């Protein structure tokens, strides 16, 4: 089974739980095992933890979790160069 990290970002607990639930369901439906959940609630860049982990896949609930469209593209490219793949799990995909 493929391993993945779930990354969620937000200030409200309910929003974080919603993102995590969507990502876990996406992982389950697509043959991924979530080995870690990384949450960012403040300005501390928890995104660095994603680069250090051995899992090759990162699941996010929407592209905006990684920042503006320009930041999303830059971060996705950086992760791709590190051998990691960013998977986007929207609500529509897991229904």
């Amino acid at each position: 089974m493929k391993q993945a990290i779930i990354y969620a970002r937000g200030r409200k607990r309910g929003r974080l739980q919603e993102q995590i639930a969507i990502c876990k369901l996406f992982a389950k439906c697509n043959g991924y095992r979530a080995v870690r959940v990384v949450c960012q609630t403040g300005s501390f860049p928890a995104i660095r933890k994603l680069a250090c982990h051995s899992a090759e896949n990162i699941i996010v609930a929407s592209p905006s979790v990684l920042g503006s469209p320009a930041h999303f593209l830059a971060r996705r490219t950086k992760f791709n160069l590190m051998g990691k793949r960013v998977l986007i799990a929207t609500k529509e995909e897991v229904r």
Side-chain angles (χ1 to χ4, degrees), residues 48 51 72-84:
R48 290 184 196 155
F72 168 75
L73 292 173
R75 287 181 174 142
R76 186 184 67 179
T77 301
K78 181 178 178 181
F79 286 132
N80 287 343
L81 291 172
M82 296 169 70
K84 297 185 182 293

Side-chain angles (χ1 to χ4, degrees), residues 1-44:
M1 185 172 276
K2 301 172 275 188
Q3 294 184 346
I5 302 169
I6 293 174
Y7 177 69
R9 187 183 82 186
R11 297 204 185 272
K12 296 182 180 178
R13 183 181 173 120
R15 175 76 176 125
L16 287 172
Q17 289 176 334
E18 178 184 4
Q19 289 179 44
I20 293 167
I22 290 168
C23 291
K24 283 185 175 181
L25 184 57
F26 176 86
K28 182 180 176 184
C29 293
N30 291 285
Y32 291 94
R33 183 169 66 95
V35 293
R36 186 170 185 186
V37 175
V38 176
C39 295
Q40 181 173 337
T41 57
S43 59
F44 180 74

Side-chain angles (χ1 to χ4, degrees), residues 46-62:
I47 201 162
R48 290 184 196 155
K49 293 179 183 176
L50 302 176
C52 298
H53 201 279
S54 62
E56 296 177 353
N57 301 287
I58 301 166
I59 303 174
V60 297
S62 72

